[in-house]
Each structure stands twice: as structure tokens, then as C-alpha cells.
Amino acid sequence: MTRDSTAHGAEFPARNWSRRACTATGHVSVVVIVYNDAEHVRDAVRSALAQGQTVAEVIVVDDASVDGTREALLVFADDDRVRVLSRERNSGGCGTPRNDGMDSARCEYVMFLDSDDTFPPGAVDALLAAADAHDADVVAGQCLRRELPDGRTTGWQPQLFDPSAGAELPGKVMEGIGQQPGLLWDTLSVNKLYRRDFLAVHNVRFPSGAFHYEDFVFTARLYAAQPRLAILDTPVYVWQVRRQAPNLSISLHRSVISNWEHRVAAHRQAVEVLRTAGHPDLVAAAQGKFLDYDVAMYTRELPLRTKEYQENWWRVTNGYLRTFGAAGYAAARVPSQWLGRVLEALPEPAETGRLVELAAQPPRLAPPYSTDGATPVFGTGPASVPLEGLDALAPRDLPIAIDGRVTTGRVTQLTLRVHDLYGRLGALGPQTIRVVFQERSGARADRITEVPLVPDEEGWTAETWLPTSELTGPADLMAWGISAEVRCDGGEAVQAEVRASGAEQAWRRTVVRLGRPLFVQAHVTPGSALMLRVVDSVRGLGLIAGGRARRLIRRLR
């Protein structure tokens, strides 16, 4: 949800809102916060009511909406489980209305729900059952991110909650997170059930007023209080991401520098909470997470930003990273350590292109491969930051760079160059390269080829091809990402996204005739990754043009 303006409020005693205590069967209060979201708030409330009688009350805190939200909520006026609190003035953030809801809640447990999101069926029952079974103060479950309008759904922090992604925490019960500092990656407040008395005793509250990224501080206070915590892999929250909405949510409004400033301020306060509570290991883990996730995410987006934004972002980031200790850097992945050290060393934007690639997923260290004597370094001058930890990286974690160049006709040919990384890759004995063309929407199955690598003075080369007809499909626009896996003598495999070998490829378009004309474009992402777009309709061409227009508008905002 988005937020505006200033402070203070009171409960709104509307005549039709019934007020009663929790029932014998109901144990959970759900706090729904809303500001100018008449379009979606009813769906959020209905999803809470649909959880059944275990939800004894749904408290809707209206943060002084002016768009008809109050009228939209009148549909629940005769439901004795729903009550509405209305603030007289907008608080400027999400924390104050959530605190208002907590203060008004009457049940043993409380949950939070934003007006533009929903609970999936059975979420509250699953959380409550775990709380009862383990006498837990907090139970956390999986949050699903649903991209709208296409409905593509992915799990939030799957490494924590999704066993199919390698998560080992589901099913565990912990006394605090000291043994599992990775839980600091879960900064959401909405995917959890809380024992209300625990929050009250430990004064776990949200920052009030116009404070953004308030979840960072709330969850830091929660973790600092060392709750008895149970983890589920059950989906308990649906975060509905509307990137095309006229008013973007705070987490999506990253094109303005104040967004980064708010994020840094919130993280700084969260770190201070953990430090004051006497948890130095969690302080280091929180700083490592910031390097791995927050800094990397915003670095990847720098090519989309104005020169003024980049300068201000660099200044804020440089200043904050200078407060990190050695333990904070050591808690991050090795490529993230390099990224942070270079950003800390350079007082103004430089080496931006290579830093963007270093922040990619997976990271790529693009040439040139500089040295200071025998020591590998990132660049020259102030950027000659030693690449500490390179020798200790496992083969699968090497941030290798693979260049690609596309030639398209009836056959699409991909010419590849694999760069050696200070001899690390060469020592593994590369033999073949397995290339995967992956259609981003999932409309077509992956196209996979594997070909030999040919050594030369600079590394290795390879060529592969496939019929262009195999890149067409049911959609008007097919977007193919290209990744590769270098397979070596001893069975080791090193993966990388294929990068564009020349920026001019972004403008290369070909019309191919396969019974009908196809429009094929080699596209270069802001992070220099190579993609192919295949269009076989006028509507598909419109989608490309529309996407370019939307990106231009976002830059101008």
C-alpha cells in the first residue's frame, strides 16, 4: 500500500459496527490496514473472514482514506466479526495503523494483512495449529508473490520456506534465531501469527509516523526478543504485486532516491536494535544480508536510473557501508563482499557496468581481469580492491563471464566465448558447454544444446544453433533468456547467464520468413544479459513498444 502526509488519529464509532470480545472458538485478531484502496480492501477482508471461526475479529484500520474506502467497507456493517477504526489524519506510513490495530485487538493471537493482499484458504488454521502444538510465540509460513495481471506466482525467500528449493527450516521450532541467522532475510511482518502478549511484554511495535520499510524494524525487535518460533512451508499470505498500478507500493517505488534513503534508514535502525539487545552475530548477519540482497538489487537497477539518482545513491551507499564491520562483510557471499568494498572505496560512480554484472544472479565478474602484482583486483586506481576469497570459492560459485553473439535467420546461431577467471576455470579442465534457452513466461519448454569448447589464447569458444521455428510459440511475444553451464573434466559444472558481447546487439532486429514473417530481436538487459524476443503478430510488436514506453515513463517519474 502507498502512504501520504501526516499524523494522528482516533477510533471511529460508526453506528453499525458491532464490538465484541473473541469467541470460544476464535483465537485470532486480523489487523487490515488500508489507505485509499477501495478497489481491493473488500477482497482482503473477505479472505480473512473466509479463514473461518478461528478468526474472531477483523480490525480494519482506515488511515484517513479519501477515495471511498469507508463507503466500500459498509458491505461488512452487519458482520459482527468486522470493526473499522478510522484515523482523522493520515499517518504517513504503515506502522501507526498497524499499532492502532494491535492496541485494539482482543484475541490471544494477532496477524497483519495489507488491503491489496489476501490470505490463502487454510492459512490461519495452519499457523494456529502449529502455535498450539509447539507453544510458539510466533509461527512463520510461506509468502507467495503473485504478479498481476498475469498471475505468475513465486515464493518469497524460498531458501527459508520451500523444501523443493533446499529449505531446511520448515518443521523446526527454535528458541530465538541465534542458530538460524538466515531468518533475518525474512523481513515481512505479514506472513506470521503472533502471540499478542509476547509482543506487548517485549514492546515489539512498528515505528510510527512517516517511516517506510517499517517491517525491518518490527522484525528486528521481534528477533531481538528471542521468541519461541515455529516455521512452516504452508503458504499463508499472498503478496499481490501490481507493477502497472498508477500508485506503486513502497517496495516497488525504487526509482526515487528517497526510497533507498528510507530503506537504509530502516536497516540502520534494525541493526541498532540487534546491537543494543546484545546480538553481535545477528548484527553481522543483518549486514551480510544487506550486501547480498538490498545492495545487489539496487545495483542491478542503476542502468535504469538518471545520473543524478546514481550520484545520490552512490553517496548514501558509500556512507552506510563505511559503518559495516569486518564481520558484516564476512557474513555476505564473496562476490557481494567485492561489490560492497568497491562501492565503499569509490567516492562517486565508476565501474558501474561491471558492478551491475557482479550484482547479477548469478554474479558475473566481467573482464578485464586486473592484478596488483600477483593479487587479483577488481579494477585500477581506487577500484583496485583485492578479490579476497576468490581462491576459496567452490567451482559452482565461480562468477565466470560468458559472452554471446546471435545471428538469426531460418536458423538461430549463438557464438560463445568463455573467459578464464584468473586461471580458476582453466584449472578445472573445461570440456563442453550446455546452453539453455528458457522462455520467461513458461509458455514453451526449455531448448537445450550441448557442444564442445575450443580453447584459444583468451579462453574458449563454441558455436551452437537451433531452428528459429523452435523459438516461436502460443504467445504473441516470446522472450528467451540464455544461460550456460561449463562442464569440466572432473565433473564440476559452472553456470552463468550469457552476457551480450556488444551493446549494439540491443538494436539488432531481423525479419525471418517461415511461412509467415517473424520479428526476432536480440535484446540486452540493463545487466548486460543477452535475450531473444520473437514476435509473430502485430499485437506482439505493440507489447514491445508498450514496454519501452512504460520504462521511459518510469525513468521520468
Side-chain angles (χ1 to χ4, degrees), residues 61 80 91 104 139 175 217 252 264 310 366 383 387 427 459 486 496 510 531:
V61 185
D80 60 5
S91 68
S104 181
V139 184
E175 301 292 342
V217 179
L252 294 180
V264 168
Q310 291 184 25
L387 299 178
V486 176
T510 306
M531 292 183 64

Side-chain angles (χ1 to χ4, degrees), residues 206-248:
F206 293 91
S208 59
F211 191 100
H212 297 167
Y213 293 104
E214 71 291 332
D215 279 7
F216 286 17
V217 179
F218 179 86
T219 52
R221 289 171 176 167
L222 178 74
Y223 296 142
Q226 301 187 71
R228 184 173 175 83
L229 177 64
I231 306 294
L232 304 179
D233 61 359
T234 306
V236 299
Y237 195 86
V238 181
W239 177 1
Q240 306 203 105
V241 181
R242 297 176 172 88
R243 298 185 188 275
Q244 309 306 324
N247 295 310
L248 293 176

